[in-house]
Structures are given as structure tokens and as C-alpha cells.
């Protein structure tokens, strides 16, 4: 018997986790990412509409039956030539506690090799790197085809907007974070993407939501 339900149309996050057979943390990720609509009570407790849970249950059952693709682990590729910065960003991402696989590359050439080994879901890259910089790497990705032209890209740079423009600009869909990195904003972006990936799988539209 449920102890904290208000009525049959509303569920707690713990009840959602029990019904769907997932961890409470996964449900929290879905809520935070906007995949599972919820609201807070006056006491600060999240509540979820049962209809929303039923829809998600149906989608998950389709995946189990094979009507929808199996969701692979969410993969993030981090390309950064400075070891200290690469380690810092990796430590911060690891501290978010998200269910993702982080792959690292020290320059643009290595990043392309990693992408060739297995396409990531999200590329986080510095722009100023020796050899092949982020500008050339991103242009290469956009010209490859085979779905790589839609790879979601976040660029991290100390360059100003004018300096970026002088270097040839970037595709409009590339999101730019200037250094020092606003990690809270980057976390929100990645958290929402992971939540959608876990619940629905990659729909291939190439957009971060």
C-alpha cells in the first residue's frame, strides 16, 4: 500500500521508480531533464502525474519488445590539449554523478580517431589546440556525413566573439562556453541530454534539449 500518494492521479518519485523498475536517481534525472513532468508540493516533495508515467511505461515496453532501439550508454568525448584543464573538466563531469561514458582526447586528430572508433553523443572541445584545432576538427566532422554532421558539439574557448569570427566562425548549432567555464550551465545542458537519452533514446535530430 502506498504511503505518500495524494490520490490515484499523482505519484511520488519513489513510486515512479518502483513502478518502472529503475533507481530513484534515474527518475530524478528524468524530472530534472524535463523528460518526466513534475511539480513540487508546499513541503518540497516532487509529484508526478500518473498519466505521464503511463506514457513513459508504454515507451519503455516498446523498447523491450524491440519496437524501439535499445538505448546505448550516453558517450561524451572531451577534447582538450592542456592536461590540467582536461583533468579539471573530467573531474567536474565525474562529480555530477551522471550515467555517462567519458572519453578523452588531447587534440583534434586524436578526437577524430576516437569518433571513428565509436560515435559519441556529445563532443566537448577546446578551440585552440596545436596541430588540428577545434575549428578544423568541427569543419571536418560537418563534412564527413554518415550522421557526424549532426554530432552535438560544445566548444570551450578563451577567445572572444570577434576572435572566433576571425578564425572562420563555427556552425550555428555549436554551443560556445567561454573560459572560465560556467560549469553549472554546462551541467544543466548535459544533464538534460542524458535524461532524454535514458528515457527515450537518441532520436537523431542532432539537438540538445
Amino acid at each position: 500500500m502506498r504511503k505518500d500518494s495524494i490520490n490515484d492521479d499523482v505519484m511520488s518519485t519513489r513510486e515512479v521508480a518502483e513502478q518502472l523498475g529503475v533507481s530513484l536517481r534515474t527518475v530524478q534525472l528524468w524530472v530534472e531533464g524535463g523528460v518526466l513532468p513534475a511539480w513540487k508540493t508546499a513541503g518540497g516533495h516532487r509529484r508526478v502525474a500518473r498519466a505521464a508515467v503511463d506514457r513513459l511505461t508504454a515507451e519503455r515496453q516498446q523498447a523491450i519488445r524491440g519496437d524501439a532501439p535499445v538505448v546505448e550508454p550516453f558517450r561524451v568525448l572531451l577534447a582538450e590539449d592542456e592536461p590540467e584543464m582536461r583533468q579539471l573538466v573530467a573531474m567536474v563531469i565525474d562529480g555530477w554523478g551522471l550515467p555517462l561514458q567519458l572519453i578523452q582526447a588531447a587534440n583534434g586528430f586524436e578526437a577524430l580517431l576516437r569518433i571513428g572508433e565509436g560515435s559519441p553523443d556529445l563532443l566537448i572541445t577546446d578551440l585552440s589546440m596545436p596541430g588540428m584545432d577545434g575549428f578544423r576538427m568541427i569543419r571536418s566532422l560537418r563534412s564527413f556525413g554518415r550522421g557526424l554532421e549532426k554530432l552535438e558539439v560544445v566548444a570551450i574557448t578563451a577567445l572572444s566573439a570577434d576572435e572566433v569570427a576571425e578564425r572562420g566562425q563555427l556552425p550555428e548549432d555549436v554551443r560556445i562556453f567561454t573560459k572560465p567555464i560556467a560549469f553549472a550551465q554546462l551541467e544543466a545542458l548535459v544533464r538534460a541530454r542524458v535524461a532524454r537519452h535514458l528515457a527515450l533514446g537518441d532520436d537523431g535530430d542532432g539537438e540538445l534539449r
Side-chain angles (χ1 to χ4, degrees), residues 2-208:
R2 299 194 305 270
K3 298 180 179 179
D4 55 352
S5 285
I6 299 175
N7 55 55
D8 288 339
D9 296 327
V10 176
M11 302 177 69
S12 69
T13 52
R14 187 171 299 281
E15 289 173 330
V16 175
E18 292 174 354
Q19 175 167 319
L20 296 180
V22 299
S23 69
L24 179 60
R25 183 58 181 151
T26 295
V27 175
Q28 291 170 341
L29 281 172
W30 289 343
V31 171
E32 293 168 6
V35 172
L36 195 58
W39 65 94
K40 284 187 177 181
T41 66
H45 301 291
R46 287 190 175 97
R47 292 293 181 263
V48 183
R50 185 174 294 277
V53 178
D54 290 342
R55 284 194 298 271
L56 190 56
T57 299
E59 290 165 353
R60 287 171 58 83
Q61 288 174 343
Q62 285 182 335
I64 293 173
R65 291 196 305 266
D67 298 337
V70 176
V71 180
E72 298 292 335
F74 186 79
R75 295 181 294 272
V76 177
L77 173 59
L78 170 63
E80 167 63 60
D81 65 299
E82 296 183 9
E84 295 81 5
M85 177 59 70
R86 189 169 65 250
Q87 182 179 19
L88 171 62
V89 176
M91 289 177 60
V92 171
I93 292 176
D94 184 64
W96 295 340
L98 295 172
L100 57 79
Q101 178 185 3
L102 181 64
I103 307 161
Q104 300 184 39
N107 52 60
F109 286 115
E110 185 178 351
L112 291 181
L113 289 174
R114 298 290 172 264
I115 292 171
E117 293 170 354
S119 298
D121 299 289
L122 174 65
L123 168 63
I124 300 176
T125 181
D126 188 17
L127 290 180
S128 300
M129 295 184 290
M132 175 179 282
D133 61 18
F135 291 94
R136 287 181 58 198
M137 178 179 62
I138 293 170
R139 285 196 289 269
S140 295
L141 290 173
R142 290 297 186 256
S143 65
F144 280 166
R146 295 177 300 154
L148 293 180
E149 73 279 4
K150 293 184 178 181
L151 173 64
E152 298 165 355
V153 179
V154 171
I156 297 176
T157 184
L159 298 174
S160 66
D162 290 339
E163 289 172 325
V164 170
E166 291 174 1
R167 299 278 291 273
Q169 275 293 4
L170 292 169
E172 293 183 357
D173 61 334
V174 174
R175 297 175 182 237
I176 301 177
F177 283 77
T178 57
K179 296 179 180 179
I181 305 170
F183 281 112
Q185 295 180 21
L186 183 60
E187 178 184 1
L189 182 152
V190 177
R191 188 175 293 276
R193 185 63 182 87
V194 170
R196 184 167 69 94
H197 181 86
L198 284 174
L200 305 177
D202 191 357
D203 58 11
D205 63 5
E207 296 180 2
L208 283 169

